[in-house]
Amino acid sequence: MLNDTLAGGSAPAGDTGTLIKDTTTAGFRQDVIAESMQRPVLVDFWAPWCGPCKQLTPVLEKVVKEAAGAVVLVKMNIDEHPSIAGQLGIQSIPAVIVFQKGQPVDGFMGAVPESQIKDLIARVAGPVQDPVEAAIAEAAGLIEEGDLAGASEIYAAILEQQPDNVAALAGLAKLQLDAGEVENAKRVLAMVPEAKASDPALAGIRAALELAEQAASLGDLAGLQREVEANPDAHQARFDLALGLAARGERGQAVDHLIELRKRDKDWNEDGARKQLLQFFEAWGVMDPDTIRGRRKLSALLFS
């Protein structure tokens, strides 16, 4: 699963044999017609004596490899296998014909620039997603499904190839933090190169890590709860209780306590309740339901 993701889904990482191959007249039906039922196939008609063919083929191979499985390239030497080119009416080479669902659907003649080949692939296969980006997306999907081990495996594999990949480092650190492994999360973040330390992708996990460290020092919340119930104006106790509740995943209650604190004393600790809410929102993410709910409550309070 992992290697497939990093290689674009169809060929294992580093294996271009399934993406680029030579074919024959006898093999054309399987290599081109059958394969094109799954994904577009670029057929490169060439000959050893053709100078432009020698220019085009390396560029074709490069672009197909970069497409990471979105298309395949099949090469046919028309000197050895002339019949298919004849049936397609090809009179000059190099010629590239795209087959999709068993039919020729697009193509070009001559040694065209790399950009034109990329445009062709985009037309027939759609925009090609970077394999590492695809792996990051797959890891996010696994997290939603509860497969944290699978997501961790993907992040680790990405970091083997790209040790400074900020998205993978942030994702792995968050997995560690969510598991309660604060020190492990800190060690992962320490792997971020200094040049990328200010990357926005790290802001949320850093905020979450700071919250976790603050909450760890609070201990049992029952005493804080009793103090707030006995004295609703015990602002520090309410503030600390909100931190602890957020750390336990009771985000709605945490937001409500800080909103209540802001209502009671907007100037307490230099508007500390509002600032803490903003840190919560950064740690939870812009689209998190508790962030959205909390922002609405805060806006209603600030602008009422």
Side-chain angles (χ1 to χ4, degrees), residues 1 139 141-152:
M1 173 189 69
L142 290 177
I143 291 171
E144 289 186 6
E145 295 170 6
D147 185 0
L148 304 186
S152 181

Side-chain angles (χ1 to χ4, degrees), residues 27-61:
F28 190 85
R29 178 168 294 279
Q30 179 61 42
D31 295 337
V32 177
I33 303 302
E35 178 65 28
S36 73
M37 298 298 176
Q38 307 300 320
R39 55 185 167 178
V41 178
L42 279 64
V43 184
D44 175 22
F45 293 96
W46 69 285
W49 47 264
C50 170
C53 297
K54 295 176 182 179
Q55 295 177 327
L56 176 67
T57 298
V59 181
L60 268 175
E61 292 181 351

Side-chain angles (χ1 to χ4, degrees), residues 22-231:
D22 293 287
T23 193
T24 64
T25 302
F28 190 85
R29 178 168 294 279
Q30 179 61 42
D31 295 337
V32 177
I33 303 302
E35 178 65 28
S36 73
M37 298 298 176
Q38 307 300 320
R39 55 185 167 178
V41 178
L42 279 64
V43 184
D44 175 22
F45 293 96
W46 69 285
W49 47 264
C50 170
C53 297
K54 295 176 182 179
Q55 295 177 327
L56 176 67
T57 298
V59 181
L60 268 175
E61 292 181 351
K62 173 179 178 289
V63 175
V64 167
K65 289 174 185 177
E66 290 175 351
V71 299
V72 296
L73 173 64
V74 174
K75 297 182 287 185
M76 175 166 270
N77 182 340
I78 66 167
D79 279 358
E80 296 178 356
H81 306 282
S83 62
I84 300 293
Q87 292 171 26
L88 292 172
I90 293 172
Q91 298 180 349
S92 64
I93 56 173
V96 174
I97 305 297
V98 181
F99 280 76
Q100 198 165 26
K101 303 300 181 185
Q103 299 294 324
V105 296
D106 208 331
F108 60 83
M109 302 284 183
V112 303
E114 181 176 331
S115 59
Q116 189 170 330
I117 301 171
K118 289 182 176 179
D119 288 344
L120 172 68
I121 292 176
R123 286 199 302 273
V124 299
V128 177
Q129 186 176 23
D130 178 88
V132 173
E133 291 180 1
I136 293 288
E138 182 175 355
L142 290 177
I143 291 171
E144 289 186 6
E145 295 170 6
D147 185 0
L148 304 186
S152 181
E153 178 188 348
I154 289 178
Y155 288 138
I158 292 170
L159 293 172
E160 284 183 10
Q161 296 185 21
Q162 299 180 2
D164 61 347
N165 186 288
V166 171
L169 288 167
L172 189 58
K174 188 174 189 309
L175 285 178
Q176 293 294 325
L177 186 57
D178 290 346
E181 300 292 342
V182 174
E183 292 304 315
N184 285 347
K186 290 168 71 174
R187 278 192 285 271
V188 172
L189 286 181
M191 297 165 59
V192 176
E194 185 176 348
K196 297 185 176 182
S198 60
D199 192 296
L202 299 170
I205 183 61
R206 285 209 176 98
L209 182 59
E210 184 177 339
L211 290 175
E213 291 181 316
Q214 289 174 344
S217 65
L218 297 176
D220 182 22
L221 301 185
L224 293 171
Q225 183 71 49
R226 288 192 296 270
E227 186 175 352
V228 170
E229 290 173 354
N231 178 16

